[in-house]
Each structure stands twice: as structure tokens, then as C-alpha cells.
Amino acid sequence: MAKFAVILPAAGKSSRFRDKEKKPFVNLDGRAVWLRTAEHFVTRQDVIHCVIVVAKEDQEMFRRRYGANLAFMNVRIADGGAERFESVANALALVSAGADFIAIHDAVRPCVTEALINAVFSRATQKGAALLAVPVGDTVKQVDGQNQVKATMPRSGLWLAQTPQVFRRDWLTEAYGNRAQLGKHITDDAQLVEAAGHPVHVVEGAASNIKITTKSDLHLADAILKSRPKPKPSGPAHPFAEEEQMWK
């Protein structure tokens, strides 16, 4: 079985969230957003550990508030950098040697499902690199600085990237070693691996696999999670549960 390490970037400024709490640490149906996200990975047999990237100014609070979770879930903390790619590079340095593949998943994307993770992990194992994405369904307009439409773009073949994005460890390490030569025009990790000359394959994701950016996204994520069926208990909820069923 291939072994995966998971990097969860959570060091952004949350400037569009407009709350006293940064979005990874805000409450989502009883638990912090980042915890709900990490829970999808820490229970998997093919994941050896997770690394969460936290801004240096937030780490004292983070350790105080979530220290027990970190120890129980085997989650390591990496320093956030000035840019996202610096953050991921810091996390890469903490990944243990036993990982064959590295998955990078937004810490504020808590609505991913086990089925989606299984699919993208499997494709990455087969092909070396894969990411979740959804095909563009709406008409795409190119607009100038005055909000005037300049062109209508053909949407055939266009996909919106999601996470997890999963890569062979050696491919991702090589890509990050060359990132300084590529300038600042790289917008995600898959593009960095593509620029290094490696093919990256797409696995169809889901519209529900949203990234929380604004307060409205938080409300939508809450609705998505609550709409999903709850796992059925493996046995009676209390000593008299079976008798109650007899009288119904």
C-alpha cells in the first residue's frame, strides 16, 4: 500500500472572511474548520501523518487551543511563509521519509468526502500526480478594468481546480526545488509540477467540495455537512434501545 503524507495550508490572512477569528479556526457545527478537514485524513490507514501550516503569530494560540488534538491526531506544525509556496516548502521539510506521495489539501475545505479522497489518491498512485477538479458549467466572460465584457471564452476543456492535489514525493520535491526559476505566476501546486515537466491528471471532484473564503461559504459548508446522512450506530444507543424498537 502506498503511503501518503498530507499538508494542510492554514496560514492565510483570511482578509475576505471579515471575522475576529481566521477561517481555519472558526467554529463549524461544533468543531474548528481545520479539525473537520483533518479528520478526513488522520483516520486513513494509508496516511502516515499530517502537517498543518500555521502563521507564526497564531502558533501560540493554536498550540494552547488544540494541543491535545495535535498529539492525538499525530499532526505536526510548520511555519507559515509570506507566500503559500513558502508555507508548503516549510511543510515539505517536516514530511517523514516513509511517505511515497504527498497530498496538499486546503485546511478550509472541510466538505471533501472519503470517496473523493479515495479516487484522487488512487489516480495519483497510478499516474504520479492527480488533483480534484470540476468542469466549468457557466459561461465565462473576460472583463476589463471597467467591468466591461471584452470576450466570451469557450468553456470546453476548462476545469476549476480543487484539492486534494496529490503528487509523487520526488516529483513535488523536485518541483519545489525549481520554483525560484518560475517567478510568481504559479497559482497552485499542480501548476508547479506541470512546469517541472510532469503530467498531472484530473479526477472529477464535486461542487460541494467548497473552499471557505467568506462568511457565506461557512454557512454553505454548514448546510452541506448537515445534509449528509449520519453514520448509523453499530449497536443500541442505550440499554433499552432494543426494547423501544419492539414497541414501535
Side-chain angles (χ1 to χ4, degrees), residues 100-113:
D100 306 302
F101 291 83
I102 298 175
I104 302 172
H105 183 67
D106 301 315
V108 291
R109 208 180 279 268
C111 297
V112 69
T113 64

Side-chain angles (χ1 to χ4, degrees), residues 93-174:
L94 298 182
V95 171
S96 67
D100 306 302
F101 291 83
I102 298 175
I104 302 172
H105 183 67
D106 301 315
V108 291
R109 208 180 279 268
C111 297
V112 69
T113 64
E114 181 182 7
L116 290 175
I117 296 171
N118 288 343
V120 74
F121 276 24
S122 176
R123 184 66 60 86
T125 302
Q126 296 165 7
K127 302 293 186 180
L131 73 151
L132 292 181
V134 291
V136 172
D138 297 323
T139 299
V140 180
K141 301 288 186 180
Q142 184 181 34
V143 179
D144 65 16
Q146 287 71 48
N147 289 339
Q148 179 178 332
V149 173
K150 305 304 293 183
T152 299
M153 311 300 291
R155 66 189 181 196
S156 176
L158 294 180
W159 292 63
L160 301 175
Q162 298 182 338
T163 65
Q165 299 188 357
V166 190
F167 313 96
R168 279 177 39 170
R169 181 194 182 120
D170 56 338
W171 286 10
L172 188 63
T173 302
E174 174 198 355

Side-chain angles (χ1 to χ4, degrees), residues 33-46:
V33 168
W34 83 267
L35 273 173
R36 287 201 167 275
T37 302
E39 286 167 357
H40 291 291
F41 299 97
V42 296
T43 56
R44 294 180 61 92
Q45 291 186 344
D46 54 0

